[in-house]
Amino acid sequence: MTGILLLEADVSAGEDLLTAAAGLGLDAYAATHEDLFGHYRPELTAKITAPVFTDFSRPETALADLTAFCRTAGIRGIVPCWEFLTPLATRLAAALGLPGHLPGRADACRNKRLMAEAFAAHGVPSPRTLTAPDHATLSRRIEAAGLRFPLVVKPAENAASIGVSVVRSADGIPAAARLAQAQTHKLPHGIALDTTLLAQEHVDGAEFSVETLVTDGAVHHLTITEKFTTEGTSRAELGHTVPAELPPDVSGSVYAATAALMALGLRNGIAHTELKVDPDGRPQVIEVGARPPGDHIMKLVKEALGIDVARACLETVLGRRPDLTPRRRAAAAIRFLTAPEAGTLRWISALPRGEHILATSLSKMPGDEVGGPQDNMGRLGQIMLRADTAAEANAAAVEALRGVTVTMATRW
Ligand SMILES: Nc1ncnc2c1ncn2[C@@H]1O[C@H](COP(=O)(O)OP(=O)(O)O)[C@@H](O)[C@H]1O
Ligand SMILES: [Mg+2]
């Protein structure tokens, strides 16, 4: 049987990919750490042919281990499920001669410093970016370059909005840098992070992501998703709607996403391009994830448009031609429940049911310590919805969230 290797399957897209693998009659192997596999949910392990153990914190060892495994097991396609493993996936596919991306640009698909350089070199519309190893150097470079506040300060390598903050004046740089450099290794695998600081022009305006499959360098954009985040100094994601309610002309966003994917050398695989459209209608690419979209966006696309993105992703990395024809024109949304502040969760009211609600789930219980809404780690649960149009889905989401009360324990 044809085999596929998922690099870390214990992510939100993992179950969808494993279900799709079963539908395609593939053997599905999952590469992870031996101690982490014990924590895999039974829904995942039931769909995995066998786990493959390695150590992702040692990229060269992992590449050697997995190359040897894939040769023996006859693996025909590699999927990076976890963002931090996209460079490894590209190198592994190249070592095996399987469909993948240009290996020379593998690190630029993950590292925001290299990504900014690739965007600048290829003329991809994106915010002006400066980098520095520490806050004092960053402050000097901001002044010397005349970069105007507000700026976004973030680490070269992290995700889920961790360490990202909006800074309104030079006084805010040291604290933003401390936050950006707080994590040096990514759990649960212990992958070393590049803590180089980025200062980026802040792009005003609505935020979107473009969901794409690239097959032999041909770019197939599937849909544009609207993304909702917190305001203020942090940018935790609050939800997504597929398709986005769009301004009249979105062609610029589509061109910008295509340019970004080409600048990063994407050739075979799925991609999630985040961009903002400024008040003058100009798109600015924030980042590209060369991996399946998280936050159940694949489920939203399936619900809204009838495209099986997980299946298409697997077919693409196998070098096959996926069927990307939309089967319907509806809309779907997800919204995340957050606590108003970090602390002990005292109570959360019953989650809504009703005509538009597809599914709800809670990841925290009363008595749990929870984070505040400064990054995606503070989520309490989620609500997934569907409607005929994006406007209806968004209105239903507002209504659903209005019905949920979160109470925090009083601090004494
Ligand atoms: N230059 C920018 N201008 C405006 N908002 C930004 C900018 N950079 C990041 N953001 C906001 O912060 C969020 C997280 O930043 P991002 O660079 O995507 O890091 P992560 O890898 O953590 O997702 C973005 O989705 C966006 O809302
Ligand atoms: Mg992002």
Side-chain angles (χ1 to χ4, degrees):
M1 231 162 49
T2 304
I4 194 122
L5 180 67
L6 307 188
L7 300 189
E8 191 49 80
D10 190 14
V11 294
S12 74
E15 201 173 340
D16 292 333
L17 290 161
L18 288 167
T19 304
L24 286 165
L26 302 172
D27 275 338
Y29 297 88
T32 186
H33 288 193
E34 193 163 3
D35 56 334
L36 295 178
F37 191 66
H39 301 286
Y40 267 44
R41 287 169 288 123
E43 301 89 281
L44 290 183
T45 47
K47 298 188 178 88
I48 293 172
T49 308
V52 187
F53 300 131
T54 187
D55 180 357
F56 290 131
S57 70
R58 294 160 64 211
E60 274 159 31
T61 310
L63 180 60
D65 286 353
L66 296 177
T67 305
F69 167 78
C70 289
R71 288 213 172 103
T72 323
I75 297 294
R76 309 303 314 152
I78 312 290
V79 187
C81 301
W82 176 241
E83 175 152 327
F84 298 88
L85 301 175
T86 57
L88 175 62
T90 297
R91 293 196 173 97
L92 183 57
L96 296 162
L98 295 176
H101 306 311
L102 296 186
R105 299 188 208 166
D107 292 316
C109 294
R110 165 83 285 267
N111 183 299
K112 292 185 173 80
R113 176 176 60 82
L114 300 175
M115 195 179 289
E117 285 171 14
F119 288 170
H122 291 85
V124 177
S126 51
R128 226 175 121 206
T129 302
L130 295 175
T131 64
D134 55 68
H135 75 81
T137 315
L138 189 67
S139 294
R140 273 201 305 281
R141 289 185 181 161
I142 290 169
E143 203 179 337
L147 212 60
R148 299 246 296 271
F149 290 88
L151 297 174
V152 175
V153 171
K154 54 177 136 174
E157 292 187 342
N158 215 318
S161 301
I162 294 168
V164 177
S165 51
V166 180
V167 180
R168 307 213 172 260
S169 71
D171 305 347
I173 296 288
R178 249 192 321 280
L179 186 71
Q181 295 187 312
Q183 284 190 2
T184 58
H185 289 79
K186 194 70 203 167
L187 295 175
H189 307 100
I191 298 170
L193 298 174
D194 174 2
T195 56
T196 297
L197 296 167
L198 272 71
Q200 217 165 48
E201 287 173 327
H202 179 270
V203 184
D204 286 337
E207 186 162 359
F208 303 96
S209 57
V210 181
E211 318 308 334
T212 308
L213 277 155
V214 188
T215 57
D216 282 342
V219 172
H220 309 270
H221 295 306
L222 305 181
T223 188
I224 302 183
T225 305
E226 184 160 8
K227 168 161 155 169
F228 300 85
T229 66
T230 51
E231 299 289 326
T233 54
S234 59
R235 290 288 181 273
E237 286 167 297
L238 296 176
H240 307 269
T241 299
V242 175
E245 272 192 278
L246 291 167
D249 183 5
V250 293
S251 52
S253 301
V254 171
Y255 296 141
T258 308
L261 302 177
M262 294 301 97
L264 296 175
L266 295 204
R267 301 286 305 159
N268 281 290
I270 192 164
H272 171 79
T273 305
E274 298 177 346
L275 52 85
K276 295 195 78 172
V277 178
D278 75 16
D280 296 325
R282 286 178 309 216
Q284 302 280 323
V285 177
I286 302 294
E287 66 161 340
V288 171
R291 50 158 175 86
D295 289 350
H296 300 293
I297 288 175
M298 293 202 296
K299 282 197 180 68
L300 301 184
V301 178
K302 196 168 183 183
E303 197 61 49
L305 305 176
I307 303 172
D308 190 336
V309 189
R311 183 184 175 101
C313 169
L314 297 182
E315 290 177 312
T316 299
V317 297
L318 288 167
R320 301 178 187 167
R321 292 285 165 272
D323 178 4
L324 302 173
T325 319
R327 304 283 164 201
R328 53 181 171 268
R329 289 276 168 207
I334 189 164
R335 293 295 183 271
F336 304 108
L337 301 165
T338 50
E341 66 205 6
T344 311
L345 180 65
R346 179 160 170 246
W347 185 67
I348 183 159
S349 62
L351 297 186
R353 293 159 178 258
E355 171 191 6
H356 294 296
I357 310 287
L358 272 175
T360 59
S361 66
L362 275 185
S363 47
K364 300 286 180 193
M365 290 293 148
D368 283 351
E369 286 304 310
V370 301
Q374 69 274 7
D375 57 41
N376 299 354
M377 311 318 285
R379 292 175 183 171
L380 310 178
Q382 61 194 34
I383 303 175
M384 221 181 280
L385 308 102
R386 95 177 124 208
D388 289 342
T389 65
E392 282 170 30
N394 289 339
V398 169
E399 195 55 35
L401 287 173
R402 196 177 286 144
V404 182
T405 315
V406 175
T407 315
M408 304 302 288
T410 318
R411 285 176 211 265
W412 299 100

